[in-house]
Amino acid sequence: RTALLAQNEREQRNAAERAKYLRRLDWYLIRHLPAGRFDQFAWIMGALVLAIALKGVFEFWQEVLVGSTINRTVFDLRNRFYRLAIHQDVRQVQQTGTADLMARVTNDLEQVGTGMKVLCGKMVVEPLRAAFCLGMAFTISWQLTLVFLLLVVPTAVVMGRISRRMKKASRKVLE
C-alpha cells in the first residue's frame, strides 16, 4: 500500500511538471504561432532561415577573429625571423642564396599559419558546439543524457586504450 501511494505521488509530480512545462511552452511559443497550418509552416521556415543566417554571422565573426589573430602571429614570426636573418653571417646567406632563403621562410611560415588557423578554428568551435549539444540534450531529457554520459564516456576511454594497443601491436608486426 505504501509503495502504491509513493508511486501515485511520483506520477502526480511528473504530471504536474509536464503541465508546468506545457504552460511555459504555451506562454513563450505556441500563443505566438499563427492559427493556420500554412502560416505556421511559413513561420517555422522563416525561423529556420533566421537561425541559419545567425549561424552564418557567427561563423563569419569566428573566421574574422581567428584569421586576424593568426595573421598577427605569422607577422610577428616573420619579423622575428627577418631580425635574426639580418644578423646572420653573410657567407652563410650567400651559400643558400637570399631568394631561396626568403622563399622557404615565406612558404614555411604560410604553412604554419594555415595549420594554426585550422587548429584554432576547431579549438574554438568544437567545444562550444559540444557544450551546446550537451545543454540541449540535458534540456530534452536530463535522465537519458546522464545515462548516455555514464555509459559512453567509459566506453570511449576503453576503446581509445584498445586502439592505441592495436596500433602499437601493428607497428611491432610491421617492423
Side-chain angles (χ1 to χ4, degrees):
R1 182 164 164 90
T2 308
L4 190 60
L5 287 174
Q7 182 182 2
N8 191 15
E9 188 178 316
R10 269 184 266 136
E11 288 175 3
Q12 285 179 350
R13 258 189 270 130
N14 287 341
E17 287 177 19
R18 273 189 243 120
K20 189 165 73 170
Y21 173 74
L22 289 174
R23 278 194 303 272
R24 264 191 266 140
L25 185 65
D26 182 44
W27 175 259
Y28 290 118
L29 181 66
I30 295 174
R31 72 185 186 118
H32 298 291
L33 288 175
R37 284 185 177 179
F38 179 77
D39 293 337
Q40 286 178 354
F41 178 73
W43 189 86
I44 290 171
M45 292 308 290
L48 185 65
V49 167
L50 184 67
I52 291 171
L54 189 63
K55 177 187 174 220
V57 168
F58 282 126
E59 284 179 353
F60 170 78
W61 281 108
Q62 184 256 339
E63 285 292 323
V64 166
L65 294 173
V66 168
S68 65
T69 304
I70 299 305
N71 286 337
R72 279 191 229 127
T73 303
V74 170
F75 181 75
D76 289 343
L77 286 172
R78 282 185 180 145
N79 283 340
R80 203 178 290 172
F81 169 78
Y82 293 140
R83 278 192 216 105
L84 291 172
I86 287 173
H87 298 294
Q88 217 174 19
D89 186 27
V90 176
R91 280 178 273 149
Q92 225 177 359
V93 174
Q94 286 176 348
Q95 285 176 351
T96 59
T98 308
D100 183 48
L101 181 66
M102 287 295 131
R104 282 186 178 198
V105 167
T106 303
N107 186 39
D108 290 350
L109 287 175
E110 196 62 38
Q111 294 299 318
V112 167
T114 303
M116 287 174 63
K117 186 178 282 189
V118 168
L119 181 67
C120 290
K122 293 208 183 288
M123 275 178 40
V124 171
V125 170
E126 295 305 321
L128 289 175
R129 185 174 293 155
F132 176 76
C133 289
L134 198 59
M136 289 304 294
F138 269 110
T139 302
I140 293 169
S141 173
W142 67 268
Q143 297 97 339
L144 186 60
T145 305
L146 190 61
V147 168
F148 173 78
L149 289 175
L150 290 175
L151 293 176
V152 170
V153 172
T155 304
V157 170
V158 169
M159 294 297 285
R161 287 182 182 169
I162 290 172
S163 74
R164 272 188 247 120
R165 287 181 185 166
M166 288 176 65
K167 284 179 186 176
K168 285 181 185 177
S170 66
R171 281 190 205 131
K172 286 180 183 178
V173 167
L174 292 175
E175 288 176 356

Short mmCIF file of all heavy atoms in Angstrom, two decimals, residues 89-138:
data_model
loop_
_atom_site.label_atom_id
_atom_site.label_comp_id
_atom_site.label_asym_id
_atom_site.label_seq_id
_atom_site.Cartn_x
_atom_site.Cartn_y
_atom_site.Cartn_z
N ASP A 89 75.51 35.41 -40.52
CA ASP A 89 76.78 35.55 -41.22
C ASP A 89 76.52 35.67 -42.72
O ASP A 89 75.71 34.93 -43.29
CB ASP A 89 77.64 34.31 -40.93
CG ASP A 89 79.04 34.45 -41.50
OD1 ASP A 89 79.51 35.59 -41.65
OD2 ASP A 89 79.64 33.40 -41.79
N VAL A 90 77.22 36.59 -43.38
CA VAL A 90 77.00 36.88 -44.79
C VAL A 90 77.35 35.68 -45.65
O VAL A 90 76.64 35.37 -46.62
CB VAL A 90 77.82 38.12 -45.22
CG1 VAL A 90 77.69 38.38 -46.72
CG2 VAL A 90 77.41 39.34 -44.43
N ARG A 91 78.43 34.96 -45.31
CA ARG A 91 78.83 33.79 -46.10
C ARG A 91 77.75 32.71 -46.07
O ARG A 91 77.48 32.05 -47.07
CB ARG A 91 80.14 33.22 -45.58
CG ARG A 91 81.35 34.02 -46.09
CD ARG A 91 82.63 33.47 -45.53
NE ARG A 91 82.82 34.15 -44.25
CZ ARG A 91 83.43 33.65 -43.20
NH1 ARG A 91 83.92 32.43 -43.25
NH2 ARG A 91 83.58 34.34 -42.09
N GLN A 92 77.11 32.56 -44.92
CA GLN A 92 76.05 31.56 -44.79
C GLN A 92 74.87 31.89 -45.71
O GLN A 92 74.30 31.03 -46.37
CB GLN A 92 75.57 31.52 -43.33
CG GLN A 92 75.38 30.17 -42.76
CD GLN A 92 74.97 30.25 -41.30
OE1 GLN A 92 74.83 31.30 -40.71
NE2 GLN A 92 74.77 29.09 -40.72
N VAL A 93 74.50 33.15 -45.75
CA VAL A 93 73.38 33.58 -46.61
C VAL A 93 73.76 33.43 -48.07
O VAL A 93 72.93 33.03 -48.90
CB VAL A 93 72.98 35.04 -46.27
CG1 VAL A 93 71.93 35.55 -47.24
CG2 VAL A 93 72.49 35.15 -44.84
N GLN A 94 75.01 33.73 -48.43
CA GLN A 94 75.44 33.62 -49.82
C GLN A 94 75.45 32.17 -50.30
O GLN A 94 75.18 31.90 -51.47
CB GLN A 94 76.82 34.24 -50.01
CG GLN A 94 76.79 35.75 -49.99
CD GLN A 94 78.19 36.35 -50.09
OE1 GLN A 94 79.19 35.65 -49.95
NE2 GLN A 94 78.25 37.65 -50.32
N GLN A 95 75.73 31.23 -49.40
CA GLN A 95 75.75 29.83 -49.79
C GLN A 95 74.36 29.34 -50.19
O GLN A 95 74.20 28.62 -51.18
CB GLN A 95 76.27 28.95 -48.65
CG GLN A 95 77.76 29.04 -48.46
CD GLN A 95 78.20 28.22 -47.24
OE1 GLN A 95 77.38 27.75 -46.48
NE2 GLN A 95 79.51 28.08 -47.08
N THR A 96 73.35 29.70 -49.42
CA THR A 96 71.99 29.24 -49.72
C THR A 96 71.30 30.15 -50.72
O THR A 96 70.39 29.71 -51.43
CB THR A 96 71.13 29.17 -48.45
OG1 THR A 96 71.08 30.46 -47.84
CG2 THR A 96 71.68 28.15 -47.48
N GLY A 97 71.68 31.39 -50.76
CA GLY A 97 71.04 32.34 -51.66
C GLY A 97 69.90 33.05 -50.96
O GLY A 97 69.10 32.44 -50.26
N THR A 98 69.83 34.34 -51.15
CA THR A 98 68.83 35.15 -50.46
C THR A 98 67.42 34.81 -50.93
O THR A 98 66.50 34.68 -50.12
CB THR A 98 69.10 36.66 -50.72
OG1 THR A 98 70.46 36.94 -50.39
CG2 THR A 98 68.18 37.52 -49.90
N ALA A 99 67.25 34.63 -52.23
CA ALA A 99 65.91 34.34 -52.76
C ALA A 99 65.41 32.99 -52.25
O ALA A 99 64.23 32.87 -51.85
CB ALA A 99 65.94 34.35 -54.28
N ASP A 100 66.28 32.00 -52.22
CA ASP A 100 65.89 30.68 -51.73
C ASP A 100 65.51 30.74 -50.26
O ASP A 100 64.51 30.16 -49.84
CB ASP A 100 67.03 29.69 -51.96
CG ASP A 100 66.66 28.28 -51.54
OD1 ASP A 100 65.57 27.83 -51.94
OD2 ASP A 100 67.44 27.66 -50.80
N LEU A 101 66.32 31.45 -49.49
CA LEU A 101 66.05 31.59 -48.06
C LEU A 101 64.71 32.28 -47.80
O LEU A 101 63.88 31.80 -47.01
CB LEU A 101 67.18 32.37 -47.39
CG LEU A 101 67.09 32.59 -45.89
CD1 LEU A 101 67.21 31.27 -45.16
CD2 LEU A 101 68.16 33.55 -45.42
N MET A 102 64.46 33.36 -48.51
CA MET A 102 63.20 34.10 -48.32
C MET A 102 61.99 33.28 -48.80
O MET A 102 60.94 33.28 -48.16
CB MET A 102 63.23 35.44 -49.07
CG MET A 102 64.13 36.46 -48.44
SD MET A 102 63.49 36.90 -46.83
CE MET A 102 64.92 36.76 -45.84
N ALA A 103 62.16 32.56 -49.90
CA ALA A 103 61.05 31.74 -50.41
C ALA A 103 60.72 30.63 -49.43
O ALA A 103 59.54 30.36 -49.16
CB ALA A 103 61.41 31.17 -51.78
N ARG A 104 61.74 29.99 -48.89
CA ARG A 104 61.49 28.93 -47.93
C ARG A 104 60.82 29.45 -46.67
O ARG A 104 59.87 28.85 -46.15
CB ARG A 104 62.80 28.24 -47.54
CG ARG A 104 63.27 27.28 -48.56
CD ARG A 104 64.47 26.55 -48.07
NE ARG A 104 64.90 25.59 -49.06
CZ ARG A 104 65.68 24.59 -48.81
NH1 ARG A 104 66.14 24.41 -47.59
NH2 ARG A 104 66.03 23.76 -49.76
N VAL A 105 61.32 30.56 -46.16
CA VAL A 105 60.75 31.12 -44.93
C VAL A 105 59.31 31.55 -45.17
O VAL A 105 58.43 31.27 -44.35
CB VAL A 105 61.61 32.31 -44.44
CG1 VAL A 105 60.88 33.09 -43.37
CG2 VAL A 105 62.93 31.80 -43.91
N THR A 106 59.05 32.22 -46.28
CA THR A 106 57.69 32.66 -46.57
C THR A 106 56.75 31.48 -46.68
O THR A 106 55.67 31.47 -46.08
CB THR A 106 57.67 33.48 -47.88
OG1 THR A 106 58.57 34.58 -47.74
CG2 THR A 106 56.29 33.99 -48.17
N ASN A 107 57.15 30.45 -47.42
CA ASN A 107 56.31 29.27 -47.58
C ASN A 107 56.11 28.54 -46.25
O ASN A 107 54.99 28.15 -45.91
CB ASN A 107 56.93 28.32 -48.62
CG ASN A 107 56.02 27.16 -48.92
OD1 ASN A 107 54.80 27.33 -48.99
ND2 ASN A 107 56.58 25.98 -49.06
N ASP A 108 57.20 28.35 -45.50
CA ASP A 108 57.09 27.64 -44.22
C ASP A 108 56.19 28.39 -43.24
O ASP A 108 55.36 27.78 -42.57
CB ASP A 108 58.47 27.43 -43.60
CG ASP A 108 59.30 26.41 -44.37
OD1 ASP A 108 58.74 25.74 -45.26
OD2 ASP A 108 60.52 26.30 -44.09
N LEU A 109 56.35 29.69 -43.17
CA LEU A 109 55.51 30.46 -42.24
C LEU A 109 54.06 30.50 -42.70
O LEU A 109 53.15 30.51 -41.87
CB LEU A 109 56.05 31.88 -42.08
CG LEU A 109 57.33 31.96 -41.23
CD1 LEU A 109 57.88 33.38 -41.22
CD2 LEU A 109 57.08 31.50 -39.82
N GLU A 110 53.84 30.45 -44.01
CA GLU A 110 52.47 30.37 -44.52
C GLU A 110 51.84 29.04 -44.13
O GLU A 110 50.66 28.98 -43.74
CB GLU A 110 52.46 30.56 -46.03
CG GLU A 110 51.11 30.88 -46.60
CD GLU A 110 50.55 32.19 -46.07
OE1 GLU A 110 51.30 33.16 -45.88
OE2 GLU A 110 49.31 32.24 -45.84
N GLN A 111 52.61 27.97 -44.21
CA GLN A 111 52.11 26.66 -43.80
C GLN A 111 51.82 26.63 -42.30
O GLN A 111 50.83 26.04 -41.87
CB GLN A 111 53.12 25.56 -44.16
CG GLN A 111 53.31 25.36 -45.64
CD GLN A 111 52.02 24.95 -46.33
OE1 GLN A 111 51.27 24.14 -45.82
NE2 GLN A 111 51.74 25.55 -47.48
N VAL A 112 52.67 27.25 -41.50
CA VAL A 112 52.43 27.34 -40.06
C VAL A 112 51.13 28.11 -39.80
O VAL A 112 50.31 27.70 -38.98
CB VAL A 112 53.62 28.02 -39.34
CG1 VAL A 112 53.26 28.41 -37.92
CG2 VAL A 112 54.82 27.11 -39.34
N GLY A 113 50.93 29.19 -40.53
CA GLY A 113 49.70 29.97 -40.37
C GLY A 113 48.46 29.17 -40.74
O GLY A 113 47.44 29.23 -40.05
N THR A 114 48.54 28.40 -41.82
CA THR A 114 47.40 27.57 -42.23
C THR A 114 47.09 26.52 -41.17
O THR A 114 45.92 26.30 -40.82
CB THR A 114 47.70 26.88 -43.58
OG1 THR A 114 47.99 27.88 -44.54
CG2 THR A 114 46.52 26.05 -44.04
N GLY A 115 48.13 25.88 -40.65
CA GLY A 115 47.92 24.89 -39.59
C GLY A 115 47.33 25.51 -38.34
O GLY A 115 46.43 24.94 -37.72
N MET A 116 47.81 26.69 -37.98
CA MET A 116 47.27 27.36 -36.79
C MET A 116 45.82 27.76 -37.00
O MET A 116 45.01 27.69 -36.06
CB MET A 116 48.12 28.60 -36.46
CG MET A 116 49.47 28.26 -35.88
SD MET A 116 50.52 29.70 -35.66
CE MET A 116 49.61 30.64 -34.48
N LYS A 117 45.49 28.18 -38.22
CA LYS A 117 44.11 28.57 -38.49
C LYS A 117 43.16 27.39 -38.35
O LYS A 117 42.09 27.50 -37.74
CB LYS A 117 43.99 29.17 -39.90
CG LYS A 117 42.61 29.74 -40.20
CD LYS A 117 42.56 30.36 -41.57
CE LYS A 117 43.19 31.72 -41.50
NZ LYS A 117 43.00 32.51 -42.72
N VAL A 118 43.57 26.25 -38.87
CA VAL A 118 42.73 25.04 -38.75
C VAL A 118 42.61 24.63 -37.29
O VAL A 118 41.52 24.36 -36.78
CB VAL A 118 43.31 23.89 -39.61
CG1 VAL A 118 42.64 22.57 -39.27
CG2 VAL A 118 43.17 24.21 -41.07
N LEU A 119 43.75 24.62 -36.60
CA LEU A 119 43.75 24.19 -35.20
C LEU A 119 42.95 25.13 -34.32
O LEU A 119 42.09 24.70 -33.54
CB LEU A 119 45.19 24.08 -34.69
CG LEU A 119 45.34 23.63 -33.25
CD1 LEU A 119 44.88 22.19 -33.11
CD2 LEU A 119 46.78 23.77 -32.80
N CYS A 120 43.20 26.42 -34.44
CA CYS A 120 42.49 27.39 -33.60
C CYS A 120 41.01 27.45 -33.94
O CYS A 120 40.17 27.63 -33.06
CB CYS A 120 43.13 28.77 -33.70
SG CYS A 120 44.74 28.85 -32.94
N GLY A 121 40.68 27.34 -35.21
CA GLY A 121 39.27 27.35 -35.60
C GLY A 121 38.52 26.20 -34.98
O GLY A 121 37.42 26.35 -34.46
N LYS A 122 39.12 25.03 -34.99
CA LYS A 122 38.46 23.86 -34.39
C LYS A 122 38.48 23.93 -32.87
O LYS A 122 37.55 23.47 -32.22
CB LYS A 122 39.14 22.59 -34.88
CG LYS A 122 38.92 22.36 -36.36
CD LYS A 122 38.96 20.91 -36.70
CE LYS A 122 38.82 20.67 -38.17
NZ LYS A 122 37.52 20.90 -38.69
N MET A 123 39.53 24.51 -32.30
CA MET A 123 39.61 24.62 -30.84
C MET A 123 38.51 25.52 -30.29
O MET A 123 38.05 25.31 -29.18
CB MET A 123 40.97 25.18 -30.42
CG MET A 123 42.04 24.13 -30.30
SD MET A 123 43.66 24.77 -29.84
CE MET A 123 43.33 26.02 -28.65
N VAL A 124 38.11 26.51 -31.04
CA VAL A 124 37.07 27.42 -30.57
C VAL A 124 35.69 26.85 -30.83
O VAL A 124 34.82 26.84 -29.96
CB VAL A 124 37.22 28.81 -31.25
CG1 VAL A 124 36.05 29.69 -30.95
CG2 VAL A 124 38.52 29.47 -30.81
N VAL A 125 35.47 26.34 -32.04
CA VAL A 125 34.13 25.94 -32.45
C VAL A 125 33.68 24.62 -31.82
O VAL A 125 32.56 24.52 -31.31
CB VAL A 125 34.06 25.83 -34.00
CG1 VAL A 125 32.77 25.20 -34.44
CG2 VAL A 125 34.20 27.21 -34.60
N GLU A 126 34.53 23.62 -31.84
CA GLU A 126 34.10 22.30 -31.41
C GLU A 126 33.70 22.21 -29.94
O GLU A 126 32.67 21.62 -29.63
CB GLU A 126 35.17 21.25 -31.76
CG GLU A 126 35.38 21.07 -33.24
CD GLU A 126 34.11 20.73 -34.00
OE1 GLU A 126 33.27 19.96 -33.51
OE2 GLU A 126 33.95 21.25 -35.12
N PRO A 127 34.45 22.79 -29.00
CA PRO A 127 33.97 22.74 -27.61
C PRO A 127 32.66 23.49 -27.41
O PRO A 127 31.79 23.04 -26.65
CB PRO A 127 35.09 23.41 -26.81
CG PRO A 127 36.30 23.27 -27.64
CD PRO A 127 35.82 23.31 -29.06
N LEU A 128 32.48 24.61 -28.10
CA LEU A 128 31.21 25.34 -27.98
C LEU A 128 30.06 24.53 -28.56
O LEU A 128 28.96 24.48 -27.98
CB LEU A 128 31.31 26.70 -28.68
CG LEU A 128 32.18 27.74 -28.01
CD1 LEU A 128 32.29 28.98 -28.87
CD2 LEU A 128 31.66 28.09 -26.64
N ARG A 129 30.30 23.89 -29.69
CA ARG A 129 29.27 23.06 -30.30
C ARG A 129 28.92 21.88 -29.39
O ARG A 129 27.74 21.54 -29.21
CB ARG A 129 29.75 22.55 -31.66
CG ARG A 129 28.69 21.77 -32.42
CD ARG A 129 29.16 21.42 -33.80
NE ARG A 129 29.27 22.65 -34.59
CZ ARG A 129 30.07 22.78 -35.63
NH1 ARG A 129 30.82 21.79 -36.02
NH2 ARG A 129 30.11 23.92 -36.29
N ALA A 130 29.93 21.24 -28.81
CA ALA A 130 29.69 20.12 -27.90
C ALA A 130 28.91 20.58 -26.66
O ALA A 130 27.98 19.90 -26.22
CB ALA A 130 31.00 19.48 -27.49
N ALA A 131 29.27 21.73 -26.12
CA ALA A 131 28.57 22.24 -24.94
C ALA A 131 27.12 22.56 -25.27
O ALA A 131 26.21 22.27 -24.48
CB ALA A 131 29.28 23.48 -24.39
N PHE A 132 26.87 23.15 -26.44
CA PHE A 132 25.51 23.47 -26.84
C PHE A 132 24.69 22.20 -27.02
O PHE A 132 23.55 22.11 -26.54
CB PHE A 132 25.52 24.28 -28.14
CG PHE A 132 24.15 24.57 -28.66
CD1 PHE A 132 23.36 25.55 -28.07
CD2 PHE A 132 23.62 23.85 -29.72
CE1 PHE A 132 22.09 25.81 -28.55
CE2 PHE A 132 22.35 24.11 -30.20
CZ PHE A 132 21.58 25.09 -29.60
N CYS A 133 25.25 21.21 -27.69
CA CYS A 133 24.53 19.95 -27.90
C CYS A 133 24.26 19.25 -26.58
O CYS A 133 23.17 18.70 -26.37
CB CYS A 133 25.32 19.03 -28.84
SG CYS A 133 25.34 19.61 -30.54
N LEU A 134 25.23 19.27 -25.68
CA LEU A 134 25.04 18.66 -24.37
C LEU A 134 23.95 19.39 -23.59
O LEU A 134 23.10 18.77 -22.95
CB LEU A 134 26.36 18.66 -23.60
CG LEU A 134 26.47 17.72 -22.43
CD1 LEU A 134 26.26 16.29 -22.87
CD2 LEU A 134 27.83 17.88 -21.78
N GLY A 135 23.97 20.72 -23.67
CA GLY A 135 22.92 21.50 -23.00
C GLY A 135 21.54 21.20 -23.55
O GLY A 135 20.57 21.07 -22.79
N MET A 136 21.45 21.10 -24.88
CA MET A 136 20.16 20.77 -25.48
C MET A 136 19.71 19.37 -25.09
O MET A 136 18.53 19.13 -24.83
CB MET A 136 20.23 20.88 -27.01
CG MET A 136 20.33 22.30 -27.51
SD MET A 136 18.99 23.37 -26.95
CE MET A 136 17.62 22.63 -27.78
N ALA A 137 20.66 18.44 -25.02
CA ALA A 137 20.31 17.07 -24.62
C ALA A 137 19.82 17.05 -23.17
O ALA A 137 18.84 16.37 -22.86
CB ALA A 137 21.51 16.15 -24.78
N PHE A 138 20.47 17.82 -22.30
CA PHE A 138 20.02 17.89 -20.91
C PHE A 138 18.64 18.55 -20.83
O PHE A 138 17.83 18.19 -19.98
CB PHE A 138 21.02 18.65 -20.05
CG PHE A 138 22.05 17.77 -19.42
CD1 PHE A 138 23.36 17.82 -19.84
CD2 PHE A 138 21.71 16.90 -18.40
CE1 PHE A 138 24.31 17.02 -19.26
CE2 PHE A 138 22.67 16.08 -17.82
CZ PHE A 138 23.97 16.14 -18.25
#
